[in-house]
Each structure stands twice: as C-alpha cells, then as structure tokens.
C-alpha cells in the first residue's frame, strides 16, 4: 500500500499538522515504508482472538466524588501564549 | 401529500456530582472563567483521568429506571477531533461498550395516550468547555470551567412521529432525571441539552428518510419549533423533487429557521479507540441490586398509583407527578388529612401551585408543609371553616401568621353552624328583601341563591352555607 | 567518588565519610567538565541541587535518612518537574514550566534524593538513538561518534559517564534497556503499572513505564523501592505491595531455569553480540542455572504490532499540544483561521519523527483502516503476550540480547526509519505484554558495550534483579568506565 501525497495531506489535515511541499514527498516515502512494515500483520490468523488494549487484567478504580482542586488559574495560565480576562485566546471560532 | 415526521433525540444531561467526571475540580456553575479548570481539565502534559464513583452510580440508576441493561463491563473511548473548547484534542466518551444499553420510557402524550419510546443507549462522557464569541480583537475566548463535567448522553430510537411527541419525550426524560436526583435539569445553565435527528417520509413508507441533526436545542419550546420548521423544510425540498443532504444544522430562534453548521461541514473522522488511560469499568451485581433497591418510585408508577388509590383523573395525576417533590408533597398531604384525596388534589393544584408559581418558587421552597395544609383541609372537612374562608387562612399561613387554628381563632373565622344564630340571620335577611321572598313563593326557585348570598354576606362569610340553605328553605316554605 | 555505585555512595553518606553537598558539587563539576561534549543534559538545576543536598545533609545528621537521601541523580526530561523546564526533548515544550511534580519526581524527592537536572531524550521519547531531540544528539561516552541509544539516551550517557549516580528513564518499546545496553549500564523496565505514570508525559499510554538507569542491579533495586507503588492519580498503576527489592537481591542463589529463545539468535544479530551473549549464558550455567531452549513464535510480529499500537495512542496523546494553553505558538499562528492556527503551531512545534508517528497513528485509526491495523495489532498483541505466558510456565526468566547491534554511528540510520525501528526488535515484546525486563552489561564488541536482556513474568522484579545482581557479583562488565571519563 502506497501512501501517496494526497493521502498524506488528508491525514495531515486530520492531525492538524502543517507539512510543507518540500517535506511531503519524503513523508510519503517514509510512511509507505512504515505501512509496508505493519502490513505484515495482515497475514496473521487472529480469528477468535480478543483484542488486547491493556497489558494487565486490571479494572478501573473509582474516586470519591470530592472536590480536591483549588482555583490556580493564574499559575496554570502562566504557560499560555495569550490570555485575556482569564480566557485563552484563539482565532475566531465559527459555528 | 401526507408526510410523517420521524424524530430521535440525543439528550445530554449533566450529572449532579460535586466534582468532575475525571478530576477533583468543582462543577459549580457560574464561576469566573477557568477558575474551576484543574490540570486534568486543561489537558496538561502528564496528567491522567480517574473516574468519579458517583457519576457511575447515577448512570446505573438511570439504566435501572428505564428498564435498560446495565453493562457489567463498560469501556471508555477517545473521540478525537480538534476544537478549542476540547483541551486534550479528544473527548473521553463511551463508544462500543456504553454503561447502559436499551430500555424504554413511557411518555404521556395526553390524558388518554401513553407512548413507549425505546432507548438505544445511555453513556457517560465528559463535557467540553465554552468558546465565547464576544469581541476579543476578532478572536474567541476559551473558558474551560465546564470541561470535564460529567454528562449522561441518552440516545433514543427514532420512535417519535411529531415535534409534539419529541417535546413530550424530552419532558419525560427531564422529569425522570430529576426524580432520580441525578441531574438538576437546569436548561438555562445548560445542564440539560438536546440534539434532534429529524427526517420525513411519506405516510405508509417503511424506509427512513435521510436525516439531519439539529444541534443545541436548549428549551422544550425550541425543540418543538426547530423540529417543525426542519420537517417543513425537508418536505418542501422533497416535494420540489430535491434530495435531503445528511448534515448537521443549527436552529436560529430569531429567524425561526435552521441552517447548516459551518464547523461541521468537513466530514469528521473521530478515530474512536479505547482510552488507554482508563481501564474497563466493572460493576458487580450486588452494587446494581443495592442501587435498584434504593430507587425512588418513578413518575409512571406514581401516576398509576394516584389514579388507582386516590381515584384521581389522569389529568390530576399528571400534574401531581410532574416532579418528585410535588408527588411526595401530595402523598404526605393525603396521609395527614381527613379530607378526601380529591380535596387535597384541588388544593395542591389550585392554591399551592398557584402561589408557588406567583412567587417563582419550587415545591421544595413551600412555606406551608403538607401537615399544615392537611390541618387546614381538616377544618374544611369538619365544618369549622368554609372552603372560601380557607383560602384566606391559607394566605395567612403562607405569610407566617401562625397555625391554622390560631389564625381561625385570632381572626374569628370559625363557621357559624348553630341553628339559633343562623335563624336570626335568616329572619333579618327575609325581612329586608320582601320582593325576593315574593318571587320565590311565586315559583322562581333561583332566587334562593341570592338570598343565601345575602345571609353569607351578613355573616361576613362565616355562615355554614349548607345549613343556611336548609334553614332558608324551611323559612320560605313555612 | 563518582566511580562508586549508588549503594556504595549511600553507605558512605550514612557513615558521614562524604556529605551530600560534596557529592553534589563533585557531580555538578563533572557535568560542567564533560557535558559540553556529551550533551546529555537539557537543563542543569545546580541551585536547586545544592539546596536539596544541604537539606539531605541535615536529614542524615538527624538520623532520618533513607537509602537515597543525599544521592545526586538526574531525571529524564519527560518527567514533569515543578518550576523547572520540562521539554520532553521538543521545541513544542521548549518554554514549558511544569506547575507540578510527576509522582516519580515527588517520591524520589521525598526520599531525599538530589536532582542534578533533566536529561536529553528523543523528542517525546520517539526514537532509539537520541537523534530526534530538539536539543541535539547525545554522544555515546564509549565513542563520541556513536549514538547512546534512545529514547532515554541522555540518562544512559550521563550514568555511563558518571555525571550522576543514577537516572530515571521511560521505556515504551525499549527506551530504557536499549540505551542502557548501548552505553554499558544497567537499565530496568518494571512491570507495566508498577511505577505511576502520573506526570510522565505520555507517548503510548498502554506501553509506557518508568524505569531506572543505574550502574548495577542493586542500585536499580534501591531506586525502584522508592519509585514504585500505587498512585491514586494513575488509574493504571498497580495496587500491589512493593517488596524490599534491595534486601532480596543479595539472598542466596537458588536454581533457576533460564529460557533462551532460539529466534532471538536468527539472522540480523551481530556476531560479536551473539558471542558475548553465549558467554554470559555460560556464566549463568556456572552459577548453577539451567538453560532451556524456547520459542516465542509470534515475537517477530512485535515490531509491526508496536508500530500500530504506539503511534495510534501517540497520535491521540499528542493532540493536546496545540499552542492554546501551553507550548509552542508559531509567530504567524494568529494570522490565519483556526485550522491553520493549529497546523502552524503543531507543524513547527513537532519534529519530523514525531510528525511521522502522529500521521501513522492517524492512519491506522482512520475510518476504513481501523480493523485491519489497530484491531488486528491488538489481537497480535495478545498472541505475543500469550507466547510469553506459555514460556513462563516452563522457565523463570527469558535471556537474550538486548539489541541486535552495538551502538551505531550518529546519522547512520536517520534516513531509514525501518532500520531504526528494528533496533527494538528484542525489547518491544516486554512492553506489549507488560512484563518487567532489564539489560545488564555483558561484554564489548570493538570497544562498544553489549547488553544482556532478562525478561520475567509480571511483578517478578525481585527475582529478576537478584539474577542480575548475582551475575554482577561474578563479572565486572558493569564496572568498566568509558575511557576519558575516569
Ligand atoms: Mg452524540
Ligand atoms: Zn455526547
């Protein structure tokens, strides 16, 4: 399976990654190689095998419904590139 | 041409937990922006989700109340997409393995019709934050206080056949989640939101038409109006030979029309997969049994019981079961009074609800307890006061003047029932109205009402009307 | 002083023959002297280290020291450290100051350990050579023209060069064991969930595990004791008691059966490494171990399965890096619409390898490909895990090479991702199955170290560390120092 330039652009849109025209051929070639590697999986007989999402058979722990966090927005927002009146700013969101 | 509208709803009910579904931040509404968004809610590098036990219990309660199957193992999955109000770039939700599957709810359409709406599933997920579009130099501001608030997404089958049915279903779910105490259902605060899948087809057709999804319908009225205009739009297109595009649309209440949502234009590929930060949620049967045993009486059961045990009309039973608090109040009232259940129903639906509505109060904020109202009804029942006087006593009780008997005593409102006093009043009235006496005797029976009224007036409303009636008749026929 | 193991330094500190301040100054001096050439640290936290050292000396004087009190060590820059830059080797987080400590950092600090700084790493731990770091390649102390391995390459090089007594690392597909092997030190990846992932920037959540880079297995035991244990903030952390690993390593040798997978010696394995591994296995026979040939039939599928599962989880884990709340924001990001805002921040904030993995993960999860790739890989993951479970019914541990080749030249494999990925062919299985595994030095090929990998069943760290410790009692490969770093 070849991941052509067009498919790469579609994936890059989905993943919100800017891939320059200079990069895209190289990305296409390398991803095609990676897909070639993982395509080995297709030949494996796996009928009746349950998919394994976690390495150990654990189950989810639950936490008590208690408020434990304080208002620390100033500290947390010190890493933010642009904040105004306590809000994170981004280009206009259109619904 | 005869068209049928087909509707299925996806309702998001915010669960009434104190903390968020995966973090210890508060869910309180209305805090300043981002003051209730902790590291987990902000999607900071390295932090991890841990599941809130109460949110799980609430989902189980809903499943039990809707006769659904509570999954012994359910799985959280990631729904991947980019949006500024979604800090991690994915929403933690449930996909293949929701916590509740199937079930149904019986919806009262009118006094005589109950419709069973089937549920597809109900699953737990986290809410997103909010984008504020007021002007920030042409940018949007992001508030993540709401991010991570627990939601129960309740998905119905496409079982509704009109906007009105959809509205009734939404009300029934709203009533139910409040009965179960799992959501405050506050629609102004966005705690109860609805998306509608709408399609139309020619009546008699089996196949479903192409549907559109209407987003963010945040009041009962908008749900009905939006579905109506959307169905009309689709019918017009189909009658004109056109085709319906499967798309997400937004209802604009100002223009009363729907329009496509721009942010949803591109086909999304959510790439769901099990969230590796969370493990399978295993619920044991004993836990389910305990929650089932603690379930309150549900609206449909209460309605049936009120009609059977109290001989109430379907209408009265509907009104009195419209909230758990009202139904409980009524039950306690009937329990505490010697008055009939019908008398109790009339008083709750009349004076009590009227006064609460006038003062914009919920039943929980009533100023007259069921026991107090019960003793007022007792005084009507035993003839101490008339129903009319009782309304004044009710008002006095509401404003805190005291207990029923104190007020009757203090205001001298006790009904006059002794024959001697009433006879004296009758004699006085007959003497003052010889003309009407004449007319009655000439065969105009309806004059009696006027004369009763005059006696009541003379007694300042305290005379027992039944007794007055009896004595008057006797005096006139003498 | 620096030639001593952590265990020896711990004894010296408690005997008061050296102070933590002296020790800390000594290692800081070595970092200043050697690290310009090695590039193993991204951030050196000298001031904080000296303050922690002074506090540790007080604690030792007060008689309330743990084995780690006063020990200078380094953290891989994937662990969040409050008030200190936590870059994850990426331009994306070059300006990121964590507001909190990872559980591992918190626990080691509570034990009294001194943090010298944050070590270099492959960007977001995606690499096997430390060449994908935004902060430049790390050089192997044994040969500066070679890579130290990755992704915990900075930690491995720093420990190998004796710039710190030990370091933390993380292992998603071999990222502790492979650099340990290539740098001639001991690297332990515990059982999945043994150490909390809270505060460890996620690469692939179902595979990631924090580990240790030390000189000896005994040192690893001391570190793991302090790091391991249940953490309520990590749903996947194990609720299992933490054994006294360091008490157990020196207990009397009991006979063990060591499984040797035939297919770990197939083509692709360097001859010199094969020779060193066979010699090490001979050493174990001398100790009284029984060797047993085994087969892990599906282990050749571990690399393809891994390169579906890991990028899939990574593509989602790395979505949070969007330049809104933290992280890199491109200069022109606000000039376009929302989509181009994201694309510019992420396009320029991430390096080429990270972007490749995000795209691979996006691909294997996307509509139409999910079943063939992601779901199939998860099924194969179970087959691989079942192979190990079957093997552990017969043998106590599995032994073999950690890597197919010794350290390779910088730049040698950067153009060929598949060649790079195959470095982890022997290590990935343990991550897929969640097993504990470690690498210990067992020889040299052309002056470059060779690692022996030992893999155990779930939570068998006590036995694994003990078997490694007994080997290190009878050999001195782990004591060799890279020339020029004496
Ligand atoms: Mg939905
Ligand atoms: Zn939803």
């Amino acid at each position: 399976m070849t991941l052509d330039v067009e498919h790469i652009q579609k994936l890059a849109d989905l993943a919100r990654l800017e891939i320059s025209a200079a990069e895209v051929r190289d990305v296409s070639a390398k991803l095609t190689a990676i897909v070639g590697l993982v395509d080995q999986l297709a030949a494996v007989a796996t009928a009746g095998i349950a998919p394994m999402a976690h390495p150990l058979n654990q189950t989810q722990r639950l936490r008590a419904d208690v408020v434990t966090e304080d208002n620390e927005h100033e500290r947390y927002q010190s890493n933010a590139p642009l904040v105004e009146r306590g809000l994170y700013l981004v280009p206009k969101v259109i619904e | 041409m005869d068209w049928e509208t087909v509707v299925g709803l996806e309702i998001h009910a915010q669960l009434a937990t104190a903390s968020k579904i995966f973090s210890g931040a508060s869910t309180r509404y209305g805090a300043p922006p981002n003051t209730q968004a902790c590291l987990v809610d902000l999607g900071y590098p390295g932090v991890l989700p841990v599941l809130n036990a109460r949110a799980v219990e609430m989902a189980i309660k809903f499943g039990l109340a809707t006769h659904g199957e509570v999954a012994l193992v359910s799985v959280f999955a990631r729904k991947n997409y980019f949006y500024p109000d979604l800090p991690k770039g994915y929403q933690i939700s449930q996909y293949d393995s929701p916590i509740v599957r199937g079930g149904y709810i019986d919806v009262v359409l009118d006094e005589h019709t109950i419709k069973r709406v089937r549920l597809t599933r109900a699953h737990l997920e986290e809410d997103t934050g909010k984008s504020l579009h007021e002007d920030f130099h042409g940018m949007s501001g992001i508030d993540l206080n709401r991010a991570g608030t627990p939601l129960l997404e309740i998905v119905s089958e496409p079982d509704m056949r009109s906007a009105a049915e959809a509205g009734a279903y939404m009300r029934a779910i709203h009533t139910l989640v409040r009965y179960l105490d799992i959501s405050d259902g506050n629609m102004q605060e966005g705690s109860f939101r609805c998306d509608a899948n709408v399609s139309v087809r020619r009546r008699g057709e089996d196949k479903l038409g192409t549907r559109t999804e209407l987003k963010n319908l945040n009041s009962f009225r908008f749900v009905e109006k939006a579905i109506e205009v959307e169905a009309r739009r689709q019918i017009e297109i189909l009658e004109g030979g056109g085709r319906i595009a499967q798309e997400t649309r937004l209802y604009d209440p100002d223009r009363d029309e729907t329009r496509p949502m721009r942010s949803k234009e591109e086909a999304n590929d959510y790439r769901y997969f099990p969230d590796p930060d969370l493990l399978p949620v295993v619920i044991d049967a004993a836990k389910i049994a305990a929650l089932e045993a603690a379930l309150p009486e549900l609206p449909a059961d209460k309605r049936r019981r009120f009609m059977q045990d109290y001989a109430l009309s379907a209408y009265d039973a509907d009104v009195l079961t419209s909230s758990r608090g009202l139904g409980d109040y009524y039950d306690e009232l009937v329990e505490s009074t010697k008055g009939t259940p019908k008398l109790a129903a009339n008083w709750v639906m009349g004076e009590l609800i009227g006064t609460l509505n006038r003062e914009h109060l919920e039943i929980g904020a009533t100023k007259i307890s069921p026991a107090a109202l019960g003793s007022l009804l007792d005084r009507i029942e035993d003839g101490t006061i008339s129903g009319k006087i009782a309304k004044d006593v009710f008002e006095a009780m509401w404003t805190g003047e005291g207990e029923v008997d104190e007020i009757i005593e203090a205001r001298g409102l006790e009904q006059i029932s002794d024959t001697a006093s009433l006879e004296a009043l009758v004699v006085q009235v007959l003497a003052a109205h010889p003309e009407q006496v004449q007319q009655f005797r000439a065969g105009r029976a309806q004059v009696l009402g006027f004369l009763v009224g005059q006696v009541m007036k003379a007694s300042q409303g305290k005379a027992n009307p039944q007794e007055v009636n009896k004595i008057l008749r006797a005096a006139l026929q003498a | 002083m620096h030639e001593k193991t952590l265990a020896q330094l711990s004894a010296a500190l408690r005997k008061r023959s050296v102070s933590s301040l002296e020790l800390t100054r000594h290692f800081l001096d070595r970092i200043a002297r050697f690290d310009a050439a090695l590039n193993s640290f991204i951030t050196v936290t000298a001031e904080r280290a000296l303050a922690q050292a002074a506090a540790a000396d007080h604690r030792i004087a007060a008689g309330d020291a743990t084995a780690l009190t006063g020990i200078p060590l380094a953290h891989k820059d994937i662990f969040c450290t409050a008030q200190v830059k936590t870059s994850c080797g990426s331009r994306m987080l070059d300006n990121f100051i964590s507001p909190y400590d990872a559980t591992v950092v918190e626990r080691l600090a509570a034990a009294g350990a001194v943090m010298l700084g944050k070590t270099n790493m492959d960007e977001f731990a995606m690499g096997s050579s430390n060449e994908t770091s935004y902060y430049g390649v790390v050089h192997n102390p044994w040969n500066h023209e070679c890579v130290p391995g990755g992704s915990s390459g900075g930690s491995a090089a720093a420990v190998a060069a004796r710039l710190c007594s030990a370091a933390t690392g993380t292992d998603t597909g071999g990222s502790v064991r492979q650099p340990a092997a290539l740098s001639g030190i001991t690297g332990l990846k515990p059982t999945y969930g043994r150490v909390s992932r809270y505060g460890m920037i996620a690469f692939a959540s179902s595979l990631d595990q924090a580990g240790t880079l030390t000189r000896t297995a005994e040192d690893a035991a001391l570190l793991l004791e302090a790091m391991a244990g249940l953490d309520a903030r990590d749903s996947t952390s194990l609720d299992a008691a933490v054994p006294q690993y360091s008490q157990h390593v020196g207990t009397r040798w009991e006979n063990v059966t060591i499984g040797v997978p035939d297919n770990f010696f197939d083509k692709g394995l360097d001859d010199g490494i094969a020779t060193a591994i066979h010699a090490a296995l001979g050493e174990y026979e001398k100790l009284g171990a029984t060797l047993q040939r085994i087969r892990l039939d599906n282990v050749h599928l571990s690399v393809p399965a891994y390169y579906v599962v890991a990028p899939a989880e990574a593509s989602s884990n790395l979505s949070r890096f969007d330049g809104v709340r933290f992280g890199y924001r491109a200069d022109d990001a606000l000039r376009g619409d929302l989509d181009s805002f994201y694309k510019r921040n992420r396009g320029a904030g991430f390096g080429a390898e990270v972007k490749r993995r995000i795209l691979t993960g996006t691909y294997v999860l996307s509509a139409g490909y999910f079943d063939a790739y992601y779901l199939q890989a998860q099924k194969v993951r179970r087959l691989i895990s079942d192979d190990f479970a079957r093997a552990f019914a017969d043998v106590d541990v599995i032994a073999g090479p950690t890597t197919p080749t010794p350290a390779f030249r910088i730049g040698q494999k950067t153009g060929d991702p598949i060649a790079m990925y195959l470095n982890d062919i022997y290590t990935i299985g343990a991550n897929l199955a969640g097993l504990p595994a470690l690498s210990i030095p067992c020889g040299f090929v052309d002056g470059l170290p060779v690692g022996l990998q030992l893999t155990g069943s779930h939570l068998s760290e006590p036995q694994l560390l003990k078997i490694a410790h007994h080997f290190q009692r009878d050999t001195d490969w782990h004591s060799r120092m890279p020339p020029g770093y004496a």
Side-chain angles (χ1 to χ4, degrees):
Chain A
M1 166 107 199
T2 305
L3 282 175
D4 59 24
V5 166
E6 203 182 321
H7 199 156
I8 297 294
Q9 278 309 350
K10 223 187 87 191
L11 293 171
D13 283 345
L14 210 48
R16 301 292 191 277
L17 290 173
E18 190 167 64
I19 307 277
S20 68
E23 286 172 285
V24 73
R25 281 188 185 286
D26 180 58
V27 173
S28 162
K30 285 186 171 135
L31 244 66
T32 297
I34 295 167
V35 169
L37 171 77
V38 302
D39 270 342
Q40 287 178 52
L41 297 174
V44 185
T46 53
I49 304 294
M52 180 170 161
H54 293 283
L56 282 91
N57 259 337
Q58 303 160 262
T59 60
Q60 181 61 36
R61 275 190 295 272
L62 303 175
R63 45 169 275 272
D65 179 27
V66 178
V67 175
T68 53
E69 300 297 320
D70 297 324
N71 169 17
E72 299 203 55
H73 79 284
E74 275 171 25
R75 207 155 69 81
Y76 298 162
Q77 290 188 329
S78 63
N79 275 307
L82 197 55
V83 168
E84 195 174 304
R85 282 180 273 157
L87 297 154
Y88 298 96
L89 294 195
V90 297
K92 190 129 201 103
V93 175
I94 299 160
E95 280 186 342
Chain B
M1 196 55 64
D2 200 10
W3 293 89
E4 181 177 59
T5 305
V6 177
V7 184
L9 295 189
E10 290 175 18
I11 291 173
H12 286 91
Q14 182 181 314
L15 296 175
T17 55
S19 65
K20 294 189 177 171
I21 184 166
F22 298 119
S23 83
S26 170
T27 57
R28 194 169 51 90
Y29 179 80
N34 292 307
T35 57
Q36 284 176 184
C38 71
L39 294 171
V40 172
D41 309 322
L42 294 170
Y44 249 71
V47 297
L48 297 166
V50 187
L51 182 59
N52 185 330
R54 249 176 89 73
V56 174
E57 282 178 8
M58 287 174 164
I60 296 172
K61 279 162 87 172
F62 180 84
L64 292 169
T66 51
H67 322 278
E69 181 200 335
V70 176
L72 297 179
V73 179
S74 63
V75 173
F76 281 97
R78 293 183 181 179
K79 179 182 183 179
N80 295 284
Y81 66 97
F82 285 89
Y83 211 64
D85 66 12
L86 187 69
K88 298 186 295 297
Y90 57 84
Q91 180 194 28
I92 305 178
S93 180
Q94 296 187 309
Y95 186 57
D96 286 335
S97 310
I99 189 158
V100 178
R101 278 177 207 275
Y104 61 83
I105 186 164
D106 286 334
V107 179
V108 178
L109 295 181
D110 59 51
E111 285 177 44
H112 310 290
T113 326
I114 290 179
K115 170 156 189 147
R116 178 159 292 186
V117 175
R118 293 167 301 153
L119 302 180
T120 314
R121 58 189 278 157
H123 68 249
L124 286 165
E125 62 184 24
E126 57 178 345
D127 207 344
T128 61
K130 276 182 189 162
S131 309
L132 303 176
H133 308 303
E134 64 202 75
D135 197 36
F136 293 97
H137 335 288
M139 292 180 273
S140 292
I142 308 300
D143 174 10
L144 296 171
N145 278 349
R146 203 182 62 183
T149 298
L151 298 177
L152 187 66
E153 179 175 333
I154 303 155
V155 183
S156 85
E157 292 289 303
D159 279 358
M160 280 122 338
R161 291 292 172 269
S162 68
E165 285 188 17
Y169 163 78
M170 190 176 169
R171 281 188 191 88
I173 295 286
H174 188 255
T175 302
L176 180 64
V177 295
R178 290 167 43 112
Y179 256 75
L180 295 172
D181 222 1
I182 62 174
S183 175
D184 66 17
N186 190 324
M187 294 168 103
Q188 276 82 46
E189 296 178 1
S191 305
F192 195 81
R193 316 193 286 271
C194 181
D195 305 333
N197 291 308
V198 181
S199 65
V200 298
R201 64 182 171 191
R202 284 172 206 275
R203 205 170 291 281
E205 177 81 57
D206 287 334
K207 236 181 91 218
L208 290 174
T210 305
R211 65 185 167 85
T212 57
E213 187 176 3
L214 305 179
K215 282 273 176 207
N216 297 331
L217 305 171
N218 298 338
S219 79
F220 296 120
R221 209 164 59 89
F222 285 173
V223 167
E224 296 189 23
K225 290 187 73 175
I227 292 169
E228 249 159 44
V229 296
E230 176 58 15
R232 214 177 306 133
R233 186 189 70 88
Q234 291 186 11
I235 291 167
E236 260 168 46
I237 291 174
L238 292 172
E239 287 189 336
R243 297 175 58 150
I244 306 301
Q246 182 162 348
E247 62 188 357
T248 304
R249 301 177 68 88
L250 213 52
Y251 175 64
D252 181 344
D254 297 331
R255 302 169 139 201
D256 195 29
E257 62 179 31
T258 67
R259 59 172 168 81
M261 255 177 110
R262 282 178 61 186
S263 58
K264 301 277 177 180
E265 266 169 23
E266 67 170 300
N268 257 315
D269 183 347
Y270 291 122
R271 290 159 283 138
Y272 281 99
F273 74 105
D275 190 331
D277 288 334
L278 291 159
L279 299 160
V281 180
V282 174
I283 299 164
D284 64 86
K287 174 97 194 162
I288 297 176
L291 287 168
E292 185 156 32
L295 228 46
E297 186 183 26
L298 300 176
D301 299 328
K302 203 179 271 271
R303 179 178 186 272
R304 210 172 299 123
R305 179 168 61 82
F306 281 7
M307 290 172 70
Q308 268 167 19
D309 294 4
Y310 300 148
L312 296 186
S313 70
Y315 175 79
D316 288 359
D318 277 348
V319 174
L320 291 172
T321 55
S322 62
S323 83
R324 183 173 162 190
L326 200 58
D328 289 349
Y329 186 100
Y330 176 72
D331 262 331
E332 279 180 54
L333 176 60
V334 171
E335 189 68 28
S336 73
T337 182
K338 294 181 196 77
T340 63
K342 178 62 189 164
L343 179 71
N346 289 345
W347 272 83
V348 171
M349 292 166 62
E351 291 304 300
L352 183 67
I353 291 184
T355 309
L356 288 168
N357 286 349
R358 212 165 33 246
E359 304 200 0
H360 305 288
L361 293 175
E362 297 279 335
I363 183 68
T366 179
K367 293 176 183 160
I368 301 179
S369 70
L373 183 55
S375 44
L376 177 62
L377 302 193
D378 286 349
R379 293 296 160 265
I380 299 171
E381 192 65 18
D382 66 17
T384 308
I385 53 174
S386 68
K388 194 162 176 301
I389 291 288
K391 292 185 182 178
D392 297 335
V393 177
F394 181 92
E395 241 183 75
M397 289 166 78
W398 190 270
T399 52
E401 253 179 61
E403 310 252 315
V404 177
D405 292 336
E406 289 167 17
I407 293 168
I408 293 172
E409 168 90 57
R411 293 196 175 185
L413 296 174
E414 193 166 339
Q415 189 160 258
I416 305 167
S417 297
D418 71 291
T419 315
S421 312
L422 291 176
E423 272 174 356
L425 283 170
V426 166
V427 167
Q428 199 185 305
V429 165
L430 292 186
H433 297 90
E435 208 173 309
Q436 281 78 7
V437 173
Q438 217 38 55
Q439 285 172 355
F440 182 85
R441 288 189 170 140
R444 288 195 57 194
Q446 59 268 51
V447 176
L448 185 68
F450 169 80
L451 293 168
V452 171
Q454 291 306 308
V455 176
M456 293 306 293
K457 197 172 162 190
S459 74
Q460 290 152 323
K462 290 187 284 184
N464 180 329
Q466 281 87 42
E467 288 301 312
V468 170
N469 218 300
K470 240 188 326 187
I471 293 167
L472 251 177
R473 273 182 194 282
L476 285 165
Q477 277 150 12
Chain C
M1 272 189 270
H2 55 271
E3 70 281 2
K4 290 194 161 63
T5 67
L6 188 157
Q8 290 163 344
L9 290 176
S10 175
L13 281 165
R14 270 173 303 171
K15 268 194 307 195
R16 318 280 299 268
S17 58
V18 66
S19 74
S20 177
L21 260 177
E22 289 172 284
L23 214 48
T24 301
R25 283 205 188 97
H26 179 72
F27 280 113
L28 286 171
D29 286 349
R30 285 183 67 80
I31 292 170
R33 190 165 140 219
F34 293 110
D35 205 46
L38 279 183
N39 196 29
S40 66
F41 279 82
I42 291 174
T43 305
V44 177
T45 50
E47 245 175 75
R48 173 181 169 136
L50 293 170
Q52 283 182 328
D57 284 331
H58 281 296
R59 205 168 147 180
I60 292 165
D64 121 64
T66 76
L68 297 182
T69 305
I71 299 290
L73 43 80
H75 288 299
K76 184 176 183 179
D77 208 19
I78 200 169
F79 292 99
C80 285
T81 41
Q83 279 29 157
V84 175
K85 175 164 102 173
T86 301
S87 74
C88 221
S90 181
R91 179 188 203 181
M92 182 59 87
L93 292 179
D94 185 44
N95 58 4
F96 179 69
I97 308 294
S98 173
Y100 75 106
D101 274 333
T103 298
V104 162
V105 172
E106 192 180 88
R107 288 190 177 175
L108 289 175
V114 172
M115 178 175 97
L116 295 169
K118 308 289 296 287
T119 58
N120 204 340
M121 57 182 283
D122 279 301
E123 184 179 7
F124 283 100
M126 296 175 185
S128 307
S129 64
N130 223 299
E131 292 168 291
T132 71
S133 172
Y134 177 63
Y135 300 92
V137 63
V138 177
H139 299 267
N140 191 315
W142 294 92
N143 180 339
H144 284 191
E145 280 164 32
C146 289
V147 302
S151 66
S152 309
S155 287
V159 173
R162 276 58 167 170
L163 306 190
C164 53
S165 67
T168 56
T170 61
D171 191 317
T172 305
S175 280
V176 161
R177 291 160 287 157
Q178 185 257 14
L182 267 43
S183 302
I185 58 168
T186 301
L188 167 69
K189 179 201 96 74
T191 305
Y192 180 82
R194 177 74 285 188
V195 177
S196 169
R197 293 188 296 115
Y198 185 80
M200 191 174 111
I201 298 175
F203 163 12
S205 311
S206 79
L207 302 162
D208 293 344
Q209 177 58 204
T212 60
L213 294 118
T214 56
R215 302 262 304 286
T216 66
E218 186 184 19
D219 290 357
L222 286 166
L223 266 190
L224 185 61
E225 258 165 44
M227 288 163 62
L230 176 67
D231 181 2
R233 292 170 297 188
D234 174 4
S235 298
T236 63
S237 92
L238 288 173
D239 188 4
V242 179
Q244 292 289 298
Y245 302 110
S246 60
Q247 302 297 303
H248 191 262
V249 287
T251 54
R252 213 164 58 86
W253 176 265
E254 287 153 84
N255 232 346
V256 292
T257 306
I258 298 177
V260 183
D262 283 347
N263 39 351
F264 276 21
F265 295 85
D266 289 347
K267 65 170 171 27
L269 180 64
D270 177 274
D271 288 342
I273 291 197
T275 306
I277 298 299
H278 284 302
L281 293 173
E283 200 59 50
Y284 270 116
E285 280 186 302
K286 272 195 262 165
L287 271 166
T290 310
L291 300 186
Q292 186 178 322
R293 291 172 63 178
I294 60 166
R295 285 203 65 82
L296 296 169
D297 286 325
N298 295 290
V299 80
H300 64 286
L301 297 169
S302 59
V303 173
Y306 176 87
Y307 277 96
V308 171
V309 173
E313 294 183 7
S315 70
S316 177
N317 281 335
L318 268 59
S319 291
R320 68 189 61 202
F321 301 102
D322 58 9
V324 176
R325 299 160 321 285
F326 46 76
Y328 180 79
R329 181 173 282 190
D331 293 337
D332 58 352
L334 286 168
R335 242 170 273 150
D337 64 7
L338 192 58
D339 276 358
S340 69
F341 167 83
Y342 284 132
K343 286 183 185 172
R344 285 172 189 173
N345 291 338
R346 291 165 57 79
F350 292 134
E353 178 63 20
V354 171
K355 283 191 262 187
R356 274 198 289 278
R357 300 222 192 170
I358 291 174
L359 291 171
T360 306
T362 303
Y363 171 66
V364 299
L365 289 175
S366 62
Y369 300 99
F370 179 88
D371 286 5
Y373 290 113
Y374 181 78
L375 216 55
Q376 176 72 351
Q378 284 209 332
K379 291 174 183 172
V380 171
R381 182 177 186 179
R382 183 163 313 273
L383 292 178
I384 293 166
S385 176
D386 288 350
D387 281 354
F388 278 109
R390 253 190 307 277
F392 286 123
D394 295 333
V395 302
D396 298 302
V397 292
I398 294 170
T402 307
T403 62
T405 67
F408 44 91
R409 288 185 171 274
I410 291 168
Q412 188 184 328
K413 296 185 181 181
T414 44
D416 182 356
I418 307 302
M420 189 68 91
Y421 295 173
L422 289 173
N423 277 301
D424 294 331
I425 188 160
Y426 304 128
T427 48
I428 280 174
N431 298 86
L432 291 170
L435 303 168
L438 54 74
S439 177
I440 48 176
C442 70
F444 287 86
V445 176
D446 300 332
L448 290 168
V450 176
L452 170 75
Q453 180 176 234
L454 298 171
T455 304
S457 56
H458 291 141
L459 294 177
S460 68
E461 287 88 349
Q463 187 186 35
L464 210 53
L465 288 164
K466 176 177 167 176
I467 292 171
H469 177 69
H470 279 267
F471 182 85
Q472 291 181 333
R473 268 190 182 170
D474 293 358
T475 59
D476 71 347
W477 304 112
H478 61 284
S479 313
R480 309 281 180 94
M481 269 210 265
Y485 288 89

